[in-house]
Short mmCIF file of all heavy atoms in Angstrom, two decimals:
data_model
loop_
_atom_site.label_atom_id
_atom_site.label_comp_id
_atom_site.label_asym_id
_atom_site.label_seq_id
_atom_site.Cartn_x
_atom_site.Cartn_y
_atom_site.Cartn_z
N ALA A 1 167.92 74.62 187.84
CA ALA A 1 167.43 74.65 189.21
C ALA A 1 168.44 74.05 190.17
O ALA A 1 168.70 74.61 191.23
CB ALA A 1 166.11 73.91 189.30
N THR A 2 169.03 72.93 189.78
CA THR A 2 169.95 72.27 190.70
C THR A 2 171.29 72.98 190.78
O THR A 2 171.89 73.04 191.85
CB THR A 2 170.14 70.79 190.32
OG1 THR A 2 170.46 70.67 188.93
CG2 THR A 2 168.89 69.99 190.62
N HIS A 3 171.75 73.55 189.69
CA HIS A 3 173.01 74.28 189.76
C HIS A 3 172.84 75.62 190.47
O HIS A 3 173.80 76.17 191.00
CB HIS A 3 173.61 74.46 188.36
CG HIS A 3 174.39 73.26 187.92
ND1 HIS A 3 175.35 73.32 186.95
CD2 HIS A 3 174.35 71.97 188.32
CE1 HIS A 3 175.88 72.12 186.78
NE2 HIS A 3 175.28 71.28 187.60
N SER A 4 171.63 76.12 190.51
CA SER A 4 171.38 77.36 191.24
C SER A 4 171.52 77.20 192.74
O SER A 4 171.75 78.17 193.46
CB SER A 4 169.96 77.88 190.93
OG SER A 4 169.85 78.20 189.58
N VAL A 5 171.37 75.98 193.23
CA VAL A 5 171.49 75.73 194.67
C VAL A 5 172.85 75.14 195.04
O VAL A 5 173.11 74.82 196.19
CB VAL A 5 170.34 74.82 195.19
CG1 VAL A 5 169.00 75.46 194.92
CG2 VAL A 5 170.41 73.42 194.61
N GLN A 6 173.71 75.00 194.05
CA GLN A 6 175.03 74.41 194.26
C GLN A 6 175.95 75.37 195.01
O GLN A 6 175.88 76.58 194.83
CB GLN A 6 175.66 74.06 192.91
CG GLN A 6 176.95 73.30 193.01
CD GLN A 6 177.49 72.93 191.63
OE1 GLN A 6 177.54 73.79 190.75
NE2 GLN A 6 177.85 71.69 191.45
N GLU A 7 176.79 74.80 195.87
CA GLU A 7 177.81 75.56 196.59
C GLU A 7 179.17 74.93 196.27
O GLU A 7 179.63 74.03 196.99
CB GLU A 7 177.54 75.52 198.09
CG GLU A 7 176.25 76.21 198.48
CD GLU A 7 175.98 76.11 199.97
OE1 GLU A 7 176.17 75.03 200.57
OE2 GLU A 7 175.58 77.14 200.54
N PRO A 8 179.81 75.37 195.18
CA PRO A 8 181.07 74.77 194.75
C PRO A 8 182.15 74.80 195.84
O PRO A 8 182.36 75.81 196.49
CB PRO A 8 181.48 75.62 193.55
CG PRO A 8 180.20 76.20 193.05
CD PRO A 8 179.37 76.43 194.28
N GLY A 9 182.78 73.63 196.01
CA GLY A 9 183.92 73.53 196.91
C GLY A 9 183.62 73.58 198.39
O GLY A 9 184.53 73.48 199.21
N VAL A 10 182.38 73.70 198.77
CA VAL A 10 182.05 73.87 200.18
C VAL A 10 182.35 72.60 201.00
O VAL A 10 182.58 72.67 202.20
CB VAL A 10 180.59 74.34 200.35
CG1 VAL A 10 179.62 73.21 200.52
CG2 VAL A 10 180.45 75.31 201.48
N LEU A 11 182.38 71.45 200.34
CA LEU A 11 182.66 70.20 201.04
C LEU A 11 184.08 69.70 200.76
O LEU A 11 184.35 68.52 200.86
CB LEU A 11 181.63 69.12 200.63
CG LEU A 11 180.18 69.43 200.95
CD1 LEU A 11 179.28 68.31 200.42
CD2 LEU A 11 179.98 69.59 202.44
N GLY A 12 184.96 70.60 200.45
CA GLY A 12 186.33 70.22 200.15
C GLY A 12 186.47 69.85 198.69
O GLY A 12 186.50 70.70 197.82
N GLU A 13 186.53 68.54 198.41
CA GLU A 13 186.70 68.08 197.03
C GLU A 13 185.37 67.97 196.28
O GLU A 13 185.35 67.72 195.09
CB GLU A 13 187.41 66.73 197.02
CG GLU A 13 188.84 66.82 197.50
CD GLU A 13 189.56 65.49 197.41
OE1 GLU A 13 189.11 64.61 196.66
OE2 GLU A 13 190.57 65.34 198.09
N LYS A 14 184.26 68.12 196.98
CA LYS A 14 182.94 68.02 196.36
C LYS A 14 182.17 69.32 196.56
O LYS A 14 182.43 70.08 197.47
CB LYS A 14 182.13 66.89 196.99
CG LYS A 14 182.58 65.51 196.66
CD LYS A 14 181.60 64.52 197.27
CE LYS A 14 181.87 63.12 196.79
NZ LYS A 14 180.88 62.18 197.34
N SER A 15 181.19 69.49 195.69
CA SER A 15 180.28 70.64 195.85
C SER A 15 179.23 70.32 196.90
O SER A 15 178.80 69.19 197.05
CB SER A 15 179.57 70.94 194.53
OG SER A 15 180.48 71.42 193.58
N GLY A 16 178.82 71.34 197.60
CA GLY A 16 177.70 71.23 198.51
C GLY A 16 176.47 71.77 197.82
O GLY A 16 176.50 72.12 196.64
N GLY A 17 175.39 71.89 198.55
CA GLY A 17 174.19 72.43 197.95
C GLY A 17 173.02 72.44 198.90
O GLY A 17 173.08 71.90 199.99
N ASN A 18 171.97 73.10 198.47
CA ASN A 18 170.75 73.24 199.27
C ASN A 18 169.57 72.75 198.45
O ASN A 18 168.78 73.53 197.93
CB ASN A 18 170.54 74.71 199.66
CG ASN A 18 171.62 75.21 200.56
OD1 ASN A 18 171.80 74.71 201.66
ND2 ASN A 18 172.38 76.17 200.08
N ARG A 19 169.42 71.42 198.35
CA ARG A 19 168.37 70.85 197.50
C ARG A 19 166.97 71.24 197.93
O ARG A 19 166.03 71.17 197.15
CB ARG A 19 168.52 69.34 197.36
CG ARG A 19 168.08 68.52 198.53
CD ARG A 19 168.05 67.03 198.21
NE ARG A 19 169.32 66.50 197.84
CZ ARG A 19 170.15 65.87 198.68
NH1 ARG A 19 169.80 65.70 199.92
NH2 ARG A 19 171.30 65.40 198.24
N GLU A 20 166.80 71.69 199.17
CA GLU A 20 165.46 72.06 199.63
C GLU A 20 164.88 73.24 198.85
O GLU A 20 163.68 73.50 198.92
CB GLU A 20 165.44 72.35 201.13
CG GLU A 20 166.23 73.57 201.54
CD GLU A 20 167.69 73.31 201.92
OE1 GLU A 20 168.24 72.26 201.52
OE2 GLU A 20 168.27 74.16 202.61
N PHE A 21 165.71 73.96 198.10
CA PHE A 21 165.24 75.10 197.32
C PHE A 21 164.95 74.77 195.85
O PHE A 21 164.50 75.63 195.10
CB PHE A 21 166.24 76.26 197.40
CG PHE A 21 166.46 76.76 198.79
CD1 PHE A 21 167.73 76.70 199.36
CD2 PHE A 21 165.42 77.27 199.54
CE1 PHE A 21 167.94 77.15 200.65
CE2 PHE A 21 165.61 77.72 200.83
CZ PHE A 21 166.88 77.66 201.39
N ILE A 22 165.21 73.54 195.43
CA ILE A 22 165.02 73.16 194.03
C ILE A 22 163.58 73.38 193.57
O ILE A 22 163.33 73.99 192.53
CB ILE A 22 165.46 71.71 193.77
CG1 ILE A 22 166.97 71.57 193.99
CG2 ILE A 22 165.07 71.25 192.38
CD1 ILE A 22 167.46 70.12 194.00
N ASN A 23 162.63 72.88 194.34
CA ASN A 23 161.22 73.02 193.94
C ASN A 23 160.81 74.48 193.83
O ASN A 23 160.19 74.88 192.85
CB ASN A 23 160.31 72.29 194.93
CG ASN A 23 160.33 70.79 194.76
OD1 ASN A 23 161.20 70.24 194.12
ND2 ASN A 23 159.36 70.12 195.34
N SER A 24 161.14 75.27 194.84
CA SER A 24 160.73 76.69 194.84
C SER A 24 161.33 77.44 193.66
O SER A 24 160.63 78.22 192.99
CB SER A 24 161.17 77.36 196.14
OG SER A 24 160.55 76.75 197.24
N LEU A 25 162.61 77.23 193.40
CA LEU A 25 163.25 77.93 192.28
C LEU A 25 162.68 77.48 190.94
O LEU A 25 162.47 78.29 190.04
CB LEU A 25 164.76 77.71 192.31
CG LEU A 25 165.51 78.43 193.42
CD1 LEU A 25 166.96 77.98 193.46
CD2 LEU A 25 165.44 79.94 193.22
N SER A 26 162.42 76.19 190.81
CA SER A 26 161.86 75.67 189.57
C SER A 26 160.47 76.22 189.32
O SER A 26 160.14 76.64 188.21
CB SER A 26 161.79 74.13 189.62
OG SER A 26 163.07 73.58 189.76
N ILE A 27 159.63 76.21 190.35
CA ILE A 27 158.26 76.72 190.21
C ILE A 27 158.28 78.21 189.92
O ILE A 27 157.51 78.70 189.08
CB ILE A 27 157.44 76.39 191.47
CG1 ILE A 27 157.18 74.87 191.51
CG2 ILE A 27 156.13 77.16 191.50
CD1 ILE A 27 156.62 74.37 192.83
N ALA A 28 159.16 78.95 190.57
CA ALA A 28 159.27 80.39 190.30
C ALA A 28 159.64 80.62 188.83
O ALA A 28 159.06 81.49 188.17
CB ALA A 28 160.30 81.03 191.22
N ALA A 29 160.59 79.84 188.33
CA ALA A 29 161.00 80.00 186.94
C ALA A 29 159.85 79.68 185.98
O ALA A 29 159.58 80.44 185.04
CB ALA A 29 162.20 79.10 186.65
N ALA A 30 159.16 78.58 186.21
CA ALA A 30 158.04 78.20 185.33
C ALA A 30 156.93 79.24 185.39
O ALA A 30 156.29 79.54 184.38
CB ALA A 30 157.51 76.83 185.71
N SER A 31 156.71 79.81 186.57
CA SER A 31 155.60 80.75 186.72
C SER A 31 155.83 82.08 186.00
O SER A 31 154.89 82.82 185.75
CB SER A 31 155.30 81.00 188.20
OG SER A 31 156.32 81.76 188.79
N ILE A 32 157.07 82.38 185.66
CA ILE A 32 157.35 83.61 184.90
C ILE A 32 157.66 83.33 183.44
O ILE A 32 158.11 84.21 182.71
CB ILE A 32 158.46 84.46 185.55
CG1 ILE A 32 159.78 83.71 185.58
CG2 ILE A 32 158.04 84.93 186.93
CD1 ILE A 32 160.98 84.58 185.94
N GLY A 33 157.45 82.07 183.02
CA GLY A 33 157.57 81.75 181.61
C GLY A 33 158.91 81.21 181.13
O GLY A 33 159.14 81.12 179.93
N VAL A 34 159.80 80.85 182.04
CA VAL A 34 161.07 80.26 181.62
C VAL A 34 160.77 78.98 180.84
O VAL A 34 159.98 78.14 181.29
CB VAL A 34 161.98 79.97 182.84
CG1 VAL A 34 163.19 79.15 182.47
CG2 VAL A 34 162.41 81.28 183.48
N ALA A 35 161.38 78.82 179.69
CA ALA A 35 161.04 77.72 178.78
C ALA A 35 161.75 76.41 179.10
O ALA A 35 161.29 75.35 178.70
CB ALA A 35 161.36 78.12 177.35
N GLY A 36 162.86 76.44 179.82
CA GLY A 36 163.59 75.22 180.11
C GLY A 36 164.20 75.27 181.50
O GLY A 36 164.69 76.31 181.93
N ILE A 37 164.16 74.15 182.19
CA ILE A 37 164.71 74.08 183.55
C ILE A 37 165.61 72.86 183.62
O ILE A 37 165.19 71.74 183.31
CB ILE A 37 163.57 74.00 184.60
CG1 ILE A 37 162.71 75.25 184.52
CG2 ILE A 37 164.15 73.82 186.00
CD1 ILE A 37 161.46 75.22 185.35
N PHE A 38 166.86 73.08 184.03
CA PHE A 38 167.84 72.01 184.16
C PHE A 38 167.75 71.44 185.57
O PHE A 38 167.92 72.17 186.54
CB PHE A 38 169.25 72.57 183.90
CG PHE A 38 170.35 71.56 184.04
CD1 PHE A 38 170.65 70.70 183.00
CD2 PHE A 38 171.09 71.49 185.21
CE1 PHE A 38 171.67 69.78 183.13
CE2 PHE A 38 172.12 70.57 185.34
CZ PHE A 38 172.41 69.71 184.30
N ILE A 39 167.46 70.14 185.68
CA ILE A 39 167.32 69.49 186.98
C ILE A 39 168.14 68.20 186.98
O ILE A 39 167.83 67.26 186.25
CB ILE A 39 165.85 69.16 187.30
CG1 ILE A 39 164.98 70.42 187.26
CG2 ILE A 39 165.73 68.48 188.65
CD1 ILE A 39 163.50 70.16 187.36
N GLU A 40 169.17 68.16 187.80
CA GLU A 40 169.94 66.93 187.97
C GLU A 40 169.23 66.04 188.98
O GLU A 40 168.78 66.52 190.02
CB GLU A 40 171.34 67.23 188.50
CG GLU A 40 172.26 67.84 187.48
CD GLU A 40 173.65 68.04 188.04
OE1 GLU A 40 173.82 68.97 188.85
OE2 GLU A 40 174.55 67.25 187.69
N THR A 41 169.12 64.76 188.65
CA THR A 41 168.47 63.81 189.55
C THR A 41 169.37 62.60 189.79
O THR A 41 170.31 62.35 189.03
CB THR A 41 167.14 63.30 188.97
OG1 THR A 41 167.39 62.58 187.77
CG2 THR A 41 166.18 64.45 188.70
N HIS A 42 169.06 61.88 190.83
CA HIS A 42 169.79 60.65 191.16
C HIS A 42 168.87 59.82 192.03
O HIS A 42 168.08 60.37 192.79
CB HIS A 42 171.08 61.00 191.92
CG HIS A 42 172.05 59.87 191.99
ND1 HIS A 42 171.95 58.87 192.92
CD2 HIS A 42 173.16 59.60 191.26
CE1 HIS A 42 172.95 58.02 192.76
NE2 HIS A 42 173.71 58.45 191.75
N ASP A 43 168.97 58.50 191.91
CA ASP A 43 168.11 57.65 192.73
C ASP A 43 168.56 57.63 194.20
O ASP A 43 167.78 57.27 195.09
CB ASP A 43 168.01 56.24 192.18
CG ASP A 43 169.34 55.53 192.09
OD1 ASP A 43 170.39 56.19 192.16
OD2 ASP A 43 169.34 54.29 191.94
N ASN A 44 169.78 58.06 194.46
CA ASN A 44 170.28 58.17 195.82
C ASN A 44 171.32 59.30 195.86
O ASN A 44 172.53 59.03 195.82
CB ASN A 44 170.89 56.85 196.29
CG ASN A 44 171.27 56.87 197.75
OD1 ASN A 44 171.23 57.91 198.41
ND2 ASN A 44 171.62 55.72 198.28
N PRO A 45 170.87 60.56 195.91
CA PRO A 45 171.80 61.69 195.84
C PRO A 45 172.94 61.65 196.85
O PRO A 45 174.04 62.12 196.57
CB PRO A 45 170.91 62.91 196.10
CG PRO A 45 169.55 62.48 195.69
CD PRO A 45 169.49 61.02 196.04
N GLU A 46 172.71 61.06 198.00
CA GLU A 46 173.76 60.99 199.02
C GLU A 46 174.93 60.13 198.57
O GLU A 46 176.04 60.27 199.07
CB GLU A 46 173.19 60.47 200.34
CG GLU A 46 172.05 61.29 200.91
CD GLU A 46 172.35 62.77 201.02
OE1 GLU A 46 173.49 63.16 201.33
OE2 GLU A 46 171.42 63.57 200.79
N LYS A 47 174.71 59.23 197.62
CA LYS A 47 175.77 58.35 197.12
C LYS A 47 176.23 58.73 195.73
O LYS A 47 177.01 58.01 195.12
CB LYS A 47 175.29 56.90 197.16
CG LYS A 47 175.02 56.44 198.57
CD LYS A 47 175.08 54.97 198.68
CE LYS A 47 174.79 54.64 200.15
NZ LYS A 47 175.51 53.53 200.63
N ALA A 48 175.76 59.85 195.20
CA ALA A 48 176.16 60.29 193.87
C ALA A 48 177.64 60.64 193.89
O ALA A 48 178.15 61.21 194.86
CB ALA A 48 175.34 61.51 193.45
N PRO A 49 178.37 60.32 192.81
CA PRO A 49 179.81 60.61 192.78
C PRO A 49 180.14 62.10 192.83
O PRO A 49 181.21 62.49 193.29
CB PRO A 49 180.29 60.00 191.47
CG PRO A 49 179.11 59.42 190.79
CD PRO A 49 177.92 59.60 191.65
N SER A 50 179.22 62.94 192.35
CA SER A 50 179.43 64.38 192.43
C SER A 50 178.07 65.08 192.44
O SER A 50 177.07 64.52 191.99
CB SER A 50 180.27 64.89 191.26
OG SER A 50 179.56 64.74 190.05
N ASP A 51 178.05 66.28 192.96
CA ASP A 51 176.85 67.13 192.96
C ASP A 51 175.65 66.56 193.72
O ASP A 51 174.55 67.06 193.58
CB ASP A 51 176.41 67.48 191.53
CG ASP A 51 177.42 68.35 190.80
OD1 ASP A 51 178.29 68.93 191.47
OD2 ASP A 51 177.35 68.43 189.57
N GLY A 52 175.85 65.55 194.55
CA GLY A 52 174.75 64.95 195.29
C GLY A 52 173.94 65.93 196.13
O GLY A 52 172.72 65.89 196.10
N PRO A 53 174.59 66.83 196.88
CA PRO A 53 173.83 67.74 197.73
C PRO A 53 172.92 68.71 196.98
O PRO A 53 172.02 69.28 197.56
CB PRO A 53 174.92 68.51 198.48
CG PRO A 53 176.09 67.60 198.50
CD PRO A 53 176.03 66.91 197.16
N ASN A 54 173.16 68.88 195.70
CA ASN A 54 172.29 69.77 194.93
C ASN A 54 171.48 69.02 193.88
O ASN A 54 170.97 69.61 192.94
CB ASN A 54 173.06 70.94 194.30
CG ASN A 54 174.15 70.50 193.35
OD1 ASN A 54 175.21 70.10 193.81
ND2 ASN A 54 173.92 70.56 192.06
N MET A 55 171.31 67.72 194.08
CA MET A 55 170.48 66.92 193.17
C MET A 55 169.12 66.64 193.79
O MET A 55 168.98 66.51 195.00
CB MET A 55 171.14 65.56 192.90
CG MET A 55 172.25 65.61 191.93
SD MET A 55 172.72 63.91 191.55
CE MET A 55 174.11 64.22 190.52
N LEU A 56 168.13 66.51 192.92
CA LEU A 56 166.79 66.13 193.33
C LEU A 56 166.72 64.61 193.33
O LEU A 56 167.18 63.96 192.39
CB LEU A 56 165.77 66.69 192.34
CG LEU A 56 164.31 66.42 192.64
CD1 LEU A 56 163.88 67.23 193.87
CD2 LEU A 56 163.44 66.80 191.45
N ASN A 57 166.15 64.04 194.38
CA ASN A 57 165.96 62.60 194.40
C ASN A 57 164.99 62.23 193.28
O ASN A 57 163.95 62.87 193.10
CB ASN A 57 165.40 62.16 195.76
CG ASN A 57 165.40 60.65 195.91
OD1 ASN A 57 164.80 59.94 195.11
ND2 ASN A 57 166.09 60.17 196.92
N LEU A 58 165.34 61.22 192.53
CA LEU A 58 164.55 60.80 191.38
C LEU A 58 163.09 60.52 191.76
O LEU A 58 162.18 60.78 190.98
CB LEU A 58 165.17 59.56 190.73
CG LEU A 58 164.62 59.10 189.40
CD1 LEU A 58 164.66 60.21 188.36
CD2 LEU A 58 165.39 57.89 188.91
N ASP A 59 162.85 60.05 192.97
CA ASP A 59 161.49 59.78 193.44
C ASP A 59 160.63 61.04 193.50
O ASP A 59 159.40 60.95 193.50
CB ASP A 59 161.50 59.13 194.83
CG ASP A 59 162.05 57.72 194.82
OD1 ASP A 59 162.07 57.09 193.74
OD2 ASP A 59 162.48 57.24 195.89
N ASN A 60 161.24 62.21 193.57
CA ASN A 60 160.51 63.48 193.67
C ASN A 60 160.32 64.18 192.32
O ASN A 60 159.66 65.21 192.26
CB ASN A 60 161.24 64.42 194.63
CG ASN A 60 161.37 63.83 196.01
OD1 ASN A 60 160.45 63.18 196.50
ND2 ASN A 60 162.49 64.04 196.64
N LEU A 61 160.89 63.63 191.27
CA LEU A 61 160.85 64.30 189.97
C LEU A 61 159.45 64.37 189.37
O LEU A 61 159.03 65.43 188.89
CB LEU A 61 161.81 63.62 188.99
CG LEU A 61 161.91 64.27 187.62
CD1 LEU A 61 162.42 65.71 187.72
CD2 LEU A 61 162.81 63.44 186.71
N GLU A 62 158.70 63.28 189.40
CA GLU A 62 157.39 63.27 188.76
C GLU A 62 156.46 64.33 189.37
O GLU A 62 155.77 65.05 188.65
CB GLU A 62 156.74 61.89 188.87
CG GLU A 62 155.43 61.78 188.13
CD GLU A 62 154.85 60.38 188.14
OE1 GLU A 62 155.52 59.43 188.56
OE2 GLU A 62 153.68 60.25 187.72
N SER A 63 156.48 64.45 190.68
CA SER A 63 155.65 65.44 191.36
C SER A 63 156.04 66.86 190.95
O SER A 63 155.18 67.70 190.68
CB SER A 63 155.78 65.26 192.87
OG SER A 63 155.15 66.31 193.55
N LEU A 64 157.34 67.12 190.91
CA LEU A 64 157.81 68.45 190.52
C LEU A 64 157.44 68.76 189.08
O LEU A 64 156.94 69.85 188.77
CB LEU A 64 159.32 68.59 190.74
CG LEU A 64 159.93 69.91 190.30
CD1 LEU A 64 159.27 71.10 190.99
CD2 LEU A 64 161.44 69.90 190.56
N ILE A 65 157.67 67.82 188.18
CA ILE A 65 157.34 68.05 186.77
C ILE A 65 155.85 68.35 186.60
O ILE A 65 155.47 69.24 185.83
CB ILE A 65 157.75 66.83 185.89
CG1 ILE A 65 159.27 66.65 185.89
CG2 ILE A 65 157.21 66.97 184.47
CD1 ILE A 65 160.06 67.75 185.24
N SER A 66 155.01 67.64 187.33
CA SER A 66 153.57 67.89 187.27
C SER A 66 153.25 69.33 187.67
O SER A 66 152.46 70.01 187.01
CB SER A 66 152.85 66.90 188.18
OG SER A 66 151.46 67.15 188.19
N LYS A 67 153.86 69.80 188.74
CA LYS A 67 153.66 71.19 189.18
C LYS A 67 154.18 72.18 188.14
O LYS A 67 153.55 73.20 187.87
CB LYS A 67 154.35 71.43 190.52
CG LYS A 67 153.70 70.73 191.68
CD LYS A 67 154.51 70.94 192.94
CE LYS A 67 153.98 70.05 194.05
NZ LYS A 67 154.84 70.07 195.22
N LEU A 68 155.34 71.87 187.56
CA LEU A 68 155.92 72.77 186.57
C LEU A 68 155.04 72.89 185.33
O LEU A 68 154.90 73.98 184.77
CB LEU A 68 157.33 72.30 186.18
CG LEU A 68 158.37 72.33 187.30
CD1 LEU A 68 159.71 71.81 186.79
CD2 LEU A 68 158.51 73.71 187.89
N ILE A 69 154.44 71.79 184.93
CA ILE A 69 153.53 71.82 183.77
C ILE A 69 152.35 72.73 184.08
O ILE A 69 151.94 73.54 183.24
CB ILE A 69 153.08 70.39 183.41
CG1 ILE A 69 154.26 69.62 182.81
CG2 ILE A 69 151.89 70.41 182.45
CD1 ILE A 69 154.02 68.13 182.65
N ASP A 70 151.81 72.62 185.29
CA ASP A 70 150.67 73.47 185.68
C ASP A 70 151.06 74.95 185.69
O ASP A 70 150.33 75.78 185.14
CB ASP A 70 150.14 73.07 187.06
CG ASP A 70 149.47 71.71 187.07
OD1 ASP A 70 149.12 71.19 185.99
OD2 ASP A 70 149.32 71.15 188.18
N PHE A 71 152.19 75.27 186.28
CA PHE A 71 152.60 76.67 186.34
C PHE A 71 152.98 77.20 184.96
O PHE A 71 152.74 78.37 184.66
CB PHE A 71 153.76 76.86 187.34
CG PHE A 71 153.30 76.99 188.75
CD1 PHE A 71 153.24 75.88 189.58
CD2 PHE A 71 152.92 78.22 189.27
CE1 PHE A 71 152.80 75.99 190.89
CE2 PHE A 71 152.48 78.35 190.58
CZ PHE A 71 152.41 77.22 191.40
N ASP A 72 153.55 76.35 184.13
CA ASP A 72 153.88 76.77 182.78
C ASP A 72 152.61 77.13 182.01
O ASP A 72 152.57 78.15 181.31
CB ASP A 72 154.63 75.64 182.07
CG ASP A 72 155.03 76.01 180.65
OD1 ASP A 72 155.83 76.95 180.48
OD2 ASP A 72 154.52 75.36 179.72
N ALA A 73 151.58 76.32 182.16
CA ALA A 73 150.31 76.60 181.47
C ALA A 73 149.71 77.93 181.94
O ALA A 73 149.22 78.70 181.12
CB ALA A 73 149.33 75.45 181.70
N ILE A 74 149.77 78.19 183.22
CA ILE A 74 149.25 79.45 183.76
C ILE A 74 150.04 80.63 183.21
O ILE A 74 149.47 81.65 182.81
CB ILE A 74 149.29 79.45 185.31
CG1 ILE A 74 148.28 78.43 185.85
CG2 ILE A 74 149.01 80.84 185.87
CD1 ILE A 74 148.46 78.11 187.32
N SER A 75 151.36 80.49 183.16
CA SER A 75 152.19 81.62 182.72
C SER A 75 152.00 81.94 181.24
O SER A 75 152.27 83.06 180.80
CB SER A 75 153.67 81.34 182.99
OG SER A 75 154.20 80.40 182.08
N LYS A 76 151.50 80.99 180.48
CA LYS A 76 151.35 81.18 179.03
C LYS A 76 149.93 81.53 178.64
O LYS A 76 149.63 81.61 177.46
CB LYS A 76 151.85 79.96 178.31
CG LYS A 76 153.35 79.84 178.49
CD LYS A 76 153.98 78.78 177.66
CE LYS A 76 155.47 78.93 177.75
NZ LYS A 76 156.18 77.81 178.24
N LYS A 77 149.04 81.76 179.62
CA LYS A 77 147.66 82.16 179.30
C LYS A 77 147.62 83.60 178.87
O LYS A 77 148.30 84.44 179.30
CB LYS A 77 146.76 81.97 180.52
CG LYS A 77 146.32 80.55 180.66
CD LYS A 77 145.28 80.43 181.75
CE LYS A 77 144.77 79.01 181.79
NZ LYS A 77 143.75 78.83 182.79
#
């Protein structure tokens, strides 16, 4: 999910990204039965040494995982 929103090289020496799409892409994947979702997290993505713009803030992970579990269950009915 996080690498799907990555924009390599857009910030010069660092990758850029659109983290606002992480939840939507993850939920879409779970809802069609994707078995695994790669999500990079950081407690402060703005200060991450790399890939910060496409990381999910660690504070938002539990909520997303809860939604993914729900959508995964629906997709497997």
Side-chain angles (χ1 to χ4, degrees):
T2 50
H3 276 202
S4 296
V5 301
Q6 187 178 48
E7 295 178 317
V10 92
L11 299 177
E13 294 183 19
K14 288 185 171 183
S15 292
N18 296 298
R19 77 171 60 97
E20 67 268 20
F21 299 119
I22 294 170
N23 284 16
S24 298
L25 288 172
S26 299
I27 290 168
S31 71
I32 62 168
V34 170
I37 299 172
F38 179 82
I39 302 172
E40 287 183 285
T41 64
H42 195 279
D43 60 343
N44 187 352
E46 302 308 324
K47 297 202 180 215
S50 66
D51 294 343
N54 59 281
M55 282 189 185
L56 182 70
N57 190 302
L58 189 56
D59 291 340
N60 301 321
L61 183 61
E62 185 175 350
S63 171
L64 177 57
I65 295 294
S66 178
K67 290 176 189 172
L68 296 178
I69 290 169
D70 292 343
F71 277 94
D72 181 63
I74 292 167
S75 75
K76 293 188 170 121
K77 279 188 175 181

